Amino acid sequence: PLLPFPPKPINLILLHSHRIISSSTTMGVEKTLTDFLTEYYSDQLQSIILSSDNRLHYPLYVDFAEVMEYDAPLAHDILFEPTEYLPVFDNAAKLAQNIVYEQVRKTWEHESVKEGVDCPPPSIKEFVHVRIEIRGPMLDNPEFCPSIGRVRVKHRGILLTLKGTVIRSGAVKMIEGEREYECRKCKHRFKVHPELESRNSIPKPMFCPSK
């Protein structure tokens, strides 16, 4: 199930072969994005932590302009290598929850015990997904926000924002969103996501990304 939210421009990634970022780079990026989310989006994180249903998927809306202001080179990488960096952004959202959680828990205890407010205890949510929002002048840039009829091969592999009206939808289909593997040699665990070009199938990894 998905958490309902108001209509917004759709972020679309046209896939192609892409580079794999190293584990050390991933850790550095994850730390930077965790600090960014904690500083800029603690209100959204607190709201997610205080939500009662752990089974829902929660969106975390992030303004791309603020990412650009915080770390311009990283914002560039997210824009041009979204298949690599958006999963790292999602992991950073989970880590940011851990940082904000303690403050939320103390506030909840104060309200529930001292003021007698009956509300479910806070909890860290597993399914939190960062949604990049592009606003302002960048929406007029056809390279990143083309009309649907003007999407071309040159747009492959970059994060696009498309605006439109949904006029028809089919039945809801469940697909496998990710699969976790463990290397037999080094015991490193990593996640593999489905490929849209192969009908959402998850390819079997040929090597351990930690090497």
Side-chain angles (χ1 to χ4, degrees):
L2 297 176
L3 184 69
F5 53 90
K8 291 178 177 287
I10 299 173
N11 289 124
L12 176 69
I13 305 169
L14 299 183
L15 297 180
H16 70 142
S17 58
H18 52 272
R19 64 187 176 91
I20 304 295
I21 56 178
S22 66
S23 297
S24 58
T25 301
T26 298
M27 293 178 62
V29 171
E30 212 170 59
K31 174 66 166 58
T32 300
L33 293 176
T34 300
D35 293 342
F36 165 74
L37 292 174
T38 304
E39 179 179 346
Y40 283 74
Y41 294 94
S42 61
D43 290 344
Q44 283 194 59
L45 291 167
Q46 290 179 32
S47 177
I48 291 172
I49 292 172
L50 288 170
S51 298
S52 59
D53 198 334
N54 290 332
R55 299 170 300 174
L56 291 179
H57 289 245
Y58 293 89
L60 179 60
Y61 296 111
V62 172
D63 189 341
F64 184 76
E66 292 182 335
V67 183
M68 181 73 74
E69 178 184 343
Y70 189 82
D71 191 321
L74 180 55
H76 178 276
D77 289 337
I78 293 172
L79 191 63
F80 287 94
E81 294 284 347
T83 52
E84 290 299 324
Y85 284 89
L86 288 183
V88 180
F89 221 154
D90 287 351
N91 289 335
K94 296 177 185 177
L95 296 175
Q97 284 187 86
N98 291 323
I99 296 174
V100 177
Y101 173 80
E102 191 61 27
Q103 177 185 350
V104 175
R105 185 184 62 82
K106 291 179 180 179
T107 302
W108 174 82
E109 289 179 346
H110 173 77
E111 294 179 351
S112 61
V113 176
K114 295 185 178 181
E115 299 182 9
V117 177
D118 185 17
C119 55
S123 60
I124 296 174
K125 305 304 186 293
E126 177 69 20
F127 307 112
V128 178
H129 309 284
V130 172
R131 303 301 186 211
I132 304 292
E133 292 187 313
I134 295 180
R135 305 172 182 173
M138 199 170 177
L139 280 174
D140 298 323
N141 189 331
E143 294 298 318
F144 306 112
C145 304
S147 61
I148 294 178
R150 293 186 177 274
V151 177
R152 298 291 185 266
V153 174
K154 66 180 181 179
H155 294 116
R156 293 178 63 195
I158 66 174
L159 185 65
L160 301 179
T161 295
L162 301 179
K163 294 183 294 183
T165 302
V166 177
I167 60 174
R168 184 184 306 162
S169 62
V172 176
K173 296 181 180 179
M174 184 176 293
I175 63 172
E176 189 175 7
E178 63 183 25
R179 187 181 298 167
E180 188 174 51
Y181 287 90
E182 181 180 275
C183 178
R184 291 180 178 177
K185 293 183 178 180
C186 68
K187 304 302 180 182
H188 172 69
R189 291 191 174 189
F190 59 96
K191 294 179 179 179
V192 180
H193 298 83
E195 294 182 348
L196 299 179
E197 293 176 329
S198 58
R199 298 184 178 181
N200 294 315
S201 64
I202 297 182
K204 185 176 181 180
M206 303 301 294
F207 58 90
C208 178
S210 66
K211 298 179 180 180

